[in-house]
Amino acid sequence: MEHHEQQPPPPAPFSPAELTALRRSLTTGRLAMTRRSLLRAGGALAAAAGGGAALSACGIAPAGRTDAALTVDRSAAEKRLNFSSWTEYMDVGDDGKGHPTLDAFRRRTGIAVTYTEDINDNDEFFGKVQAQLANGQDTGRDLIVLTDWMCARMISLGWIQPLDADRLPHARANLAAQFRNPTWDPGRKHSYVWQSIPAIIAYNSQATGGRSVDSIGQLLEDPRLKGRVGFLSEMRDTVGLTLLDMGKRPEDVTADDYDAALARLQKGVDTRQIRRFTGNDYTGDLSKGDLAACVAWAGDVVQLQSDNPHIRYTVPKAGYMTSTDNLMVPSRARHKGNAERLIDYYYEPKVAARLAAYINYACPVDGVRGELAKIDPELAKNPLILPDEEMTARSHSFRALTPSENRVFNQKFSDLTGT
């Protein structure tokens, strides 16, 4: 008997608060002007301005049939794999062509990887694939990389296939302990970390007169820094760090906690302690000394230090914020087995080291230090790329928000930052 699946209702558009947050993220946030990012913004705002139907971060259509039993894995017969990721997130050959680690994977396994840099923004990508996933259709992608909060949404909707642990021996053995059990994917049943993105404190020692800056409290209250302090325009990083400085856990944030953190930041705005809320454009101001100190992303700091000996960083004793970009297999993907082989391949320390040496993000793979030292001894010593035990112990993540919380929190943060 023919089965007709119920069609999902059209998705709701962004709320004004979420549209503002997306615009802020694309123009000044982590999505703007990074090594990964010049193409990230492509089309997202245009789609939102056209009614927002494609961008349904808050009004998500119900999941369609995504039962794994209905998905036929063609990996054995079809030695290929379609891998979608962000820009500037893969090693590139010295000649500017090819991807050495992917090329080595093909030579070893015979699996041809079509690597496409077609993820410009989490919400934009969600808009691309949600209709297919909601209807139980193949997206044409076998492996995707998305940020933790979006991974949480897609897993909860039933749009991500569970991974076969037996096919992931290196990943199971070498995933760093701090990433093993996120609340949104307990036991890593659906995902593995591609890279980690720490938010810490950076300062220009020349601009601070040689003084170090080591806490959010100092950023907000030290009169010697007045008017030369920057916070990030990414809500989870700025509010999360403020919560930690107040003795609160971002993993357990309540509405009252959130409001208290915003009130503290608002005081910094009112007294003009805070110069501005920035995206990656803080890098130029920090190098010049226009910003004496700021909240910063670790990947930027690694690059800034190579050009400016006055750039320093500290990891607050209260803790720092970490987000992750994660590998997942969409429902109905044709080559799940091939995708799992690639995930496991990137958890081999030698391969992970090659990738880390090129892209300089925090590596989630244990056992990499010795291999990275063979490539670049200085990178192997850098805790922003390979966090040591002390740094790892201070890592925190913002909890997954409900759609309603997301709208309210983003609106309040938008009111604070004036964006």
Side-chain angles (χ1 to χ4, degrees), residues 199-204 213 215-216 218-220 222 225-234 237-239 241-242 265 268-269 272-283 285-286 289-297 413 417:
I200 56 174
I201 292 174
Y203 64 97
N204 185 319
V213 181
S215 72
I216 296 299
Q218 188 177 356
L219 285 178
L220 289 172
D222 187 340
L225 300 176
K226 185 173 182 178
R228 298 185 296 151
V229 168
F231 277 80
L232 291 171
S233 56
E234 292 289 341
D237 290 329
T238 284
V239 177
L241 283 165
T242 306
L265 290 164
V269 172
R272 299 189 179 180
Q273 178 79 6
I274 298 174
R275 183 186 184 96
R276 63 191 184 104
F277 292 85
T278 74
N280 286 89
D281 49 332
Y282 70 79
T283 57
D285 287 347
L286 184 63
D290 292 341
L291 284 177
C294 63
V295 175
W297 289 301
F413 190 70
T417 61

Side-chain angles (χ1 to χ4, degrees), residues 168-231:
L168 299 163
H170 294 99
R172 288 188 291 111
N174 296 331
L175 177 63
Q178 72 179 106
F179 304 118
R180 286 185 173 270
N181 199 39
T183 56
W184 51 269
D185 187 22
R188 289 287 176 185
K189 295 179 181 178
H190 302 84
S191 67
Y192 270 88
V193 180
W194 178 246
Q195 298 295 310
S196 171
I197 308 164
I200 56 174
I201 292 174
Y203 64 97
N204 185 319
S205 61
Q206 191 174 45
T208 65
R211 297 185 301 276
S212 65
V213 181
D214 59 11
S215 72
I216 296 299
Q218 188 177 356
L219 285 178
L220 289 172
E221 297 159 10
D222 187 340
R224 295 170 295 185
L225 300 176
K226 185 173 182 178
R228 298 185 296 151
V229 168
F231 277 80

Side-chain angles (χ1 to χ4, degrees), residues 259-417:
D259 288 346
L262 286 193
R264 194 172 180 208
L265 290 164
Q266 185 66 58
K267 182 178 179 181
V269 172
D270 294 342
T271 61
R272 299 189 179 180
Q273 178 79 6
I274 298 174
R275 183 186 184 96
R276 63 191 184 104
F277 292 85
T278 74
N280 286 89
D281 49 332
Y282 70 79
T283 57
D285 287 347
L286 184 63
S287 290
K288 290 184 295 184
D290 292 341
L291 284 177
C294 63
V295 175
W297 289 301
D300 292 334
V301 175
V302 173
Q303 296 170 50
L304 287 172
Q305 287 184 318
S306 66
D307 298 321
N308 187 335
H310 301 296
I311 301 302
R312 311 286 172 82
Y313 74 89
T314 56
V315 179
K317 290 182 180 180
Y320 67 98
M321 296 302 295
T322 298
S323 59
T324 57
D325 285 340
N326 307 273
L327 296 157
M328 301 189 300
V329 178
S331 59
R332 300 302 180 92
R334 294 170 60 93
H335 308 110
K336 176 174 177 282
N338 292 342
E340 289 167 332
R341 290 189 72 177
L342 188 64
I343 293 172
D344 198 59
Y345 169 75
Y346 276 103
Y347 272 81
E348 296 179 20
K350 188 173 182 179
V351 178
R354 290 176 187 159
L355 182 66
Y358 187 84
I359 65 175
N360 294 167
Y361 283 87
C363 180
V365 181
D366 278 341
V368 167
R369 193 175 306 277
E371 296 294 340
L372 186 56
K374 297 175 186 177
I375 302 171
D376 188 326
E378 291 305 312
L379 290 180
K381 298 175 185 176
N382 193 327
L384 299 185
I385 296 175
L386 296 180
D388 54 27
E389 289 185 9
E390 181 183 1
M391 183 167 175
T392 298
R394 301 183 198 173
S395 173
H396 294 265
S397 298
F398 212 94
R399 74 168 171 83
L401 300 177
T402 67
S404 176
E405 287 175 325
N406 199 49
R407 287 192 297 272
V408 172
F409 283 20
N410 271 313
Q411 183 61 65
K412 289 181 177 181
F413 190 70
S414 180
D415 292 342
L416 168 73
T417 61

Side-chain angles (χ1 to χ4, degrees), residues 17-34:
E18 288 179 310
L19 182 55
T20 297
L22 174 60
R23 182 178 292 108
R24 180 175 63 242
S25 186
L26 291 174
T27 55
T28 63
R30 203 182 82 213
L31 309 181
M33 300 304 292
T34 67

